[in-house]
Amino acid sequence: MTDQVSNEITTHEINSHEITSHEITMVEAVTLALAHEMRRDPDVVILGEDVGPNGGVFRATQGLYEEFGFKRVMDTPLAETLISGMTIGMAGYGLRPVAEIQFMGFIYACMEHLVSHASRLRNRTRGRISCPLVIRAPFGGGIHAPEHHSESTEALFAHVPGLRVVIPSSPQRAYGLLLAAIRNDDPVLFLEPKRVYRIERQTVVDNGQALPLDTCFTLRQGSDMTLVSWGASIRETLIAAELLSEQGVECEVLDLASIKPFDFKTILKSVKHTGRCCIVHEACRSFGVGAEIAAGLAEHALLDLKAPVKRVTGFDTVMPYFKNEHYYLPSEQDIVTECLSLMKF
Amino acid sequence: MKYFKLPDLGEGLSEAEIVEWHVKEGEHVEEDQLLVSVETAKAIVDLPSPVSGKVVACFGEFGDVLHIGDPLVEYDSPSEDTGTVVGEIPESTPASPPTDKKSSKRKKQASEDSSKTSSAGTNDQFIIGSAHASSRSNSMGQSKATPSVRALARRLNVDIDSVRGSGPEGRVLAQDVESSARVDQERGQGEQLRGVRRTMAKTMTASHQQVVPVTIFDVADVHKWEEGEDTTIRLAKAIAKACKKEPALNVWFDGEHMTRRLCSQVDLAIAVDTEQGLFVPVLRDINNRSLKDLRKGLDRLRQDVKSRTIPPSEMLGATITLSNFGTMAGRFATPVVVPPTVAIVGAGKMHEDVVVHKGSAEIRRVMPISLTFDHRAVTGGEAARFLEIILESLSKRQVK
């Protein structure tokens, strides 16, 4: 597999800026990307609850208040509608705000703003005003949190025309995709899978290189099965691919990353190659993003499919509490079982 | 550890009063070093530090009453500050499959390898976009059909790959499957060719695609032959003699590379008709063998073919072919040249005919001979001379 991201473990000078390399977790990669972009572009501002001196409840904005001051890193009151309203106003007037909604479970108060205004600003003004905002929100379950802290409702936002939804799955991709989201002129919902915030360290070079949006990432190549997933589920998907490999089934693993719009071409190419597809997402099954991918494959890959397109997902309920979470979350064994049945179809 | 909290002092006690601090803020402490003395209802207890580290803050002063779980000392360990007011974010467990014999061996290997590189970070390998250059489907060579048509084919017991598709881009439609099934029903299911029949179909097709055949017809005068003469042996001997004089018909020809291989030995393939189909065993080196030896060889070949014990090697490597179809019926024919050979002799039915012999009409025994040659490799002259020698040899009463 080609490593498309440079990863030198040396530091060197370019102009007056040192390009450094860091062994960091995903949440630290978010901080790194925010810091980089705030240094590069004075229009980038941050707002949210506890993002200032506290550095964010997940420490995602740690150190930014100290470096950039209270005018660029703003603590807001506990009012999500205020956050989204301010963000849209700032974006409309030329700033590049990166707002934090502390948990995705609190974002629904913002929906009116996001759906009726942020996503439509360009359309409504016939192109005169854009809304280049980013709303960051930790999402997903598996961290033993109470209700409203484990949501995976990316499908709700993916359904809204004019909104982008981006979900990283690794520190390197979090860095590159967040940079892309901030630089993009569209409103972007950047959902961070908190279950894997600190689960692994990767080498991330702080070179300001953004990854492309609207593109899948091929994490593993194979010719028997295409596995499509995103966010924290990528972890289980990769483990399942290894387990399946031991049983002679070689999986191709695609990280969707850009949920909306998504790169259907890559998925189609892969399915034409393998003939089988299994989509894995933590979000509940019905009307989820997986259904959209499956419909696309039925439409464009019918003659190439050797088996129906299946989805391994969470259940159609709210994330259960604590120790029952592992029943809800799609496990690597769930994925393996489904894939093996597809191989036998 | 970030905070050292007042531990459970036992004996059902839930509070303690600070009596004396032994460390100051900013001081570095070692593990087990005395931090503070507290007084409970029962006794004065010395509390040692559970870890080594720098003391950032001391909570409580002389006389303050603390409860179990209240923080006493804050250490300086910034990596511990992971935030979150709710929930537990799991940390730094490497993603690895459940342990079994195989994967534990691999993990051991991996941990040995990783000792060479940084243990803290890994590099994420990924491709931006697709790993495949083209959008071409992988099912090349297979029939294109929708799943429902495939299911229909399975139900009607039709081999979908053998159905000709009338849909767009050769796609097999339901009606194609149904008409194929109808044909199967009315005329019986198509029998898959196997064994010698399959070989014959393939060989003849290849010949038709490559060879440029020309056939010369003539009649041999076999009137002098004695009763019970072995036709096949006579023909073999005649062919052997002709090959000696005209070696151009005993060659292997490669039309693709334009090469011609003159064969020193004459290995005659003899077409034998059996119940299973056409066998063509090879009688080796007919030039140098005696009549008796040839007879024995031929009898053995016939026996092996009959009992179906003939090994495949016995049917390879012929340099020229003989088809004695005249044992049954037929006079002249256009027998098929089998590449890479360039000639085949067809012997028709021996019969009595009215011929002109030495000026007058006589009834004599004759045998029609057809010689097909591959005109890519053999000239008409070579072929005609070859045929002349055969006729001359056959006309004799005996050969040695």
Side-chain angles (χ1 to χ4, degrees):
Chain A
M1 252 186 275
T2 350
D3 184 358
Q4 300 262 6
V5 179
S6 116
N7 46 25
E8 298 151 31
I9 320 277
T10 54
T11 59
H12 54 275
E13 308 258 347
I14 286 192
N15 299 329
S16 59
H17 300 287
E18 228 179 66
I19 292 187
T20 50
S21 166
H22 307 260
E23 306 284 333
I24 49 177
T25 62
M26 183 189 283
V27 67
E28 289 167 331
V30 168
T31 318
L32 197 68
L34 289 171
H36 186 103
E37 206 57 10
M38 290 183 80
R39 284 179 206 128
R40 197 186 71 89
D41 184 355
D43 288 336
V44 178
V45 297
I46 290 179
L47 62 157
E49 295 159 17
D50 303 311
V51 296
N54 198 31
V57 288
F58 291 103
R59 302 294 177 259
T61 51
Q62 183 145 52
L64 299 180
Y65 177 84
E66 286 77 15
E67 185 173 343
F68 299 103
F70 71 97
K71 283 190 178 177
R72 290 183 71 191
V73 184
M74 294 162 268
D75 272 335
T76 65
L78 209 165
E80 277 71 23
T81 39
L82 180 146
I83 296 173
S84 53
M86 272 179 72
T87 306
I88 293 171
M90 287 173 167
Y93 274 92
L95 290 176
R96 287 193 174 268
V98 182
E100 177 180 304
I101 298 293
Q102 206 161 81
F103 284 85
M104 191 185 190
F106 309 149
I107 205 172
Y108 310 117
C110 307
M111 284 206 67
E112 153 69 12
H113 281 147
L114 288 175
V115 176
S116 302
H117 302 290
S119 69
R120 302 185 193 189
L121 209 52
R122 190 183 286 133
N123 188 33
R124 183 177 300 150
T125 63
R126 305 279 91 190
R128 283 197 292 279
I129 301 180
S130 289
C131 194
L133 60 78
V134 175
I135 293 195
R136 290 180 41 247
F139 90 121
I143 63 159
H144 301 343
E147 222 210 296
H148 295 311
H149 293 66
S150 307
E151 316 285 299
S152 289
T153 45
E154 67 267 25
L156 290 180
F157 298 90
H159 190 63
V160 178
L163 272 189
R164 284 181 176 274
V165 179
V166 177
I167 300 179
S169 63
S170 78
Q172 272 186 346
R173 290 192 284 283
Y175 178 82
L177 288 171
L178 183 53
L179 289 177
I182 297 171
R183 293 173 192 170
N184 191 275
D185 288 338
D186 303 323
V188 181
L189 184 59
F190 192 81
L191 297 172
E192 297 161 5
K194 54 176 151 4
R195 174 158 65 96
V196 295
Y197 254 164
R198 300 200 173 85
I199 207 127
E200 64 166 339
R201 291 178 176 278
Q202 280 182 352
T203 310
V204 179
V205 183
D206 191 11
N207 54 15
Q209 221 176 60
L211 283 170
L213 296 178
D214 309 337
T215 311
C216 292
F217 301 103
T218 303
L219 304 184
R220 188 183 196 278
Q221 290 183 55
S223 51
D224 296 320
M225 172 79 57
T226 300
L227 290 172
V228 184
S229 187
W230 53 91
S233 301
I234 285 287
R235 234 174 106 73
E236 282 76 38
T237 305
L238 285 170
I239 296 173
E242 287 305 311
L243 291 173
L244 285 163
S245 175
E246 284 168 21
Q247 302 197 45
V249 177
E250 290 306 324
C251 297
E252 185 141 294
V253 176
L254 302 180
D255 177 8
L256 203 62
S258 289
I259 307 301
K260 166 73 179 307
F262 73 88
D263 173 14
F264 185 66
K265 227 195 250 178
T266 299
I267 301 176
L268 189 59
K269 269 189 190 170
S270 177
V271 174
K272 278 188 187 281
H273 186 72
T274 62
R276 294 181 186 86
C277 185
C278 183
I279 304 158
V280 182
H281 62 68
E282 182 180 317
C284 55
R285 183 182 197 73
S286 299
F287 305 94
V289 176
E292 173 65 34
I293 299 172
L297 288 173
E299 192 176 327
H300 296 285
L302 186 65
L303 300 180
D304 298 296
L305 285 170
K306 298 177 190 158
V309 177
K310 285 285 187 93
R311 299 166 290 165
V312 176
T313 66
F315 296 96
D316 284 347
T317 73
V318 171
M319 178 75 65
Y321 287 129
F322 296 41
K323 289 196 177 156
N324 290 335
E325 276 175 329
H326 83 270
Y327 289 117
Y328 184 99
L329 294 167
S331 69
E332 51 265 20
Q333 204 46 59
D334 294 332
I335 303 170
V336 168
T337 307
E338 192 67 72
C339 287
L340 288 177
S341 83
L342 285 180
M343 294 302 296
K344 290 202 195 74
F345 184 81
Chain B
M1 168 177 278
K2 184 76 169 169
Y3 295 102
F4 172 52
K5 298 167 189 160
L6 185 68
D8 186 0
L9 303 166
E11 299 179 56
L13 301 161
S14 60
E15 298 177 343
E17 183 182 318
I18 293 178
V19 170
E20 190 183 352
W21 276 104
H22 301 288
V23 297
K24 283 194 299 291
E25 285 181 10
E27 198 180 314
H28 181 87
V29 297
E30 292 300 319
E31 193 180 325
D32 285 337
Q33 184 177 334
L34 210 57
L35 285 176
V36 62
S37 297
V38 299
E39 187 174 0
T40 68
K42 300 238 178 118
I44 292 182
V45 181
D46 291 330
L47 297 176
S49 177
V51 294
S52 303
K54 182 166 156 211
V55 172
V56 169
C58 295
F59 300 107
E61 297 182 355
F62 171 78
D64 284 341
V65 174
L66 299 174
H67 300 270
I68 292 172
D70 284 347
L72 274 167
V73 165
E74 182 182 344
Y75 297 97
D76 175 25
S77 49
S79 64
E80 292 289 322
D81 176 21
T82 55
T84 75
V85 281
V86 289
E88 305 153 19
I89 306 293
E91 296 210 19
S92 296
T93 46
S96 59
T99 337
D100 60 23
K101 273 206 210 124
K102 257 198 254 174
S103 61
S104 62
K105 216 192 276 180
R106 218 181 303 120
K107 262 201 274 182
K108 192 157 172 277
Q109 188 74 40
S111 62
E112 283 162 7
D113 290 342
S114 69
S115 61
K116 299 186 198 131
T117 58
S118 155
S119 55
T122 55
N123 287 325
D124 197 10
Q125 309 272 49
F126 57 91
I127 297 175
I128 297 175
S130 173
H132 308 280
S134 80
S135 305
R136 237 178 18 165
S137 169
N138 210 28
S139 61
M140 300 291 282
Q142 275 183 309
S143 298
K144 288 261 181 194
T146 64
S148 63
V149 171
R150 287 187 189 281
L152 178 68
R154 275 199 299 272
R155 270 203 308 278
L156 296 179
N157 208 19
V158 170
D159 176 17
I160 197 154
D161 290 322
S162 68
V163 177
R164 173 165 293 179
S166 63
E169 292 170 1
R171 203 196 308 163
V172 175
L173 306 175
Q175 68 210 44
D176 301 326
V177 170
E178 278 162 358
S179 53
S180 181
R182 217 175 12 250
V183 167
D184 284 350
Q185 211 172 35
E186 286 166 10
R187 295 170 195 282
Q189 198 155 32
E191 168 211 335
Q192 183 70 255
L193 284 185
R194 289 194 159 75
V196 278
R197 280 215 174 265
R198 191 183 177 83
T199 309
M200 181 177 76
K202 282 171 127 173
T203 311
M204 297 304 164
T205 307
S207 173
H208 184 72
Q209 284 168 346
Q210 297 166 34
V211 175
V212 179
V214 176
T215 312
I216 309 183
F217 306 100
D218 212 322
V219 179
D221 185 304
V222 297
H223 196 70
K224 292 190 189 140
W225 282 17
E226 288 174 358
E227 203 65 41
E229 181 76 304
D230 189 330
T231 313
T232 311
I233 294 292
R234 287 302 301 267
L235 285 163
K237 273 290 180 183
I239 290 169
K241 192 162 178 202
C243 285
K244 221 192 222 164
K245 294 276 177 59
E246 281 295 342
L249 279 82
N250 189 50
V251 303
W252 275 354
F253 179 71
D254 182 342
E256 198 187 321
H257 297 110
M258 290 294 171
T259 56
R260 196 175 69 136
R261 220 186 290 252
L262 290 161
C263 303
S264 52
Q265 192 171 297
V266 183
D267 293 334
L268 181 67
I270 302 178
V272 179
D273 180 63
T274 69
E275 268 171 23
Q276 288 83 42
L278 172 66
F279 278 84
V280 197
V282 181
L283 200 57
R284 307 265 172 208
D285 197 15
I286 58 175
N287 245 346
N288 299 319
R289 286 161 81 170
S290 69
L291 210 64
K292 206 160 119 194
D293 196 22
L294 278 178
R295 262 203 196 101
K296 257 216 299 241
L298 190 61
D299 285 338
R300 198 185 42 114
L301 271 182
R302 283 176 176 140
Q303 191 56 42
D304 286 348
V305 170
K306 202 164 170 187
S307 61
R308 281 192 276 159
T309 56
I310 188 145
S313 55
E314 290 295 312
M315 302 205 271
L316 296 172
T319 59
I320 189 166
T321 314
L322 166 66
S323 174
N324 191 8
F325 59 85
T327 52
M328 294 160 274
R331 304 218 173 155
F332 296 106
T334 53
V336 178
V337 174
V338 181
T341 69
V342 296
I344 175 168
V345 177
K349 191 172 174 74
M350 186 164 38
H351 62 283
E352 290 186 326
D353 207 350
V354 180
V355 296
V356 175
H357 182 76
K358 292 197 177 123
S360 53
E362 284 182 28
I363 295 176
R364 293 180 73 85
R365 241 172 348 155
V366 295
M367 179 185 287
I369 302 288
S370 314
L371 169 67
T372 306
F373 64 95
D374 186 347
H375 212 328
R376 297 178 299 164
V378 179
T379 69
E382 287 161 345
R385 284 190 291 277
F386 187 89
L387 185 58
E388 195 181 14
I389 296 161
I390 290 184
L391 297 177
E392 197 247 349
S393 169
L394 287 176
S395 68
K396 294 199 165 67
R397 190 175 69 86
Q398 264 181 347
V399 286
K400 283 186 283 292

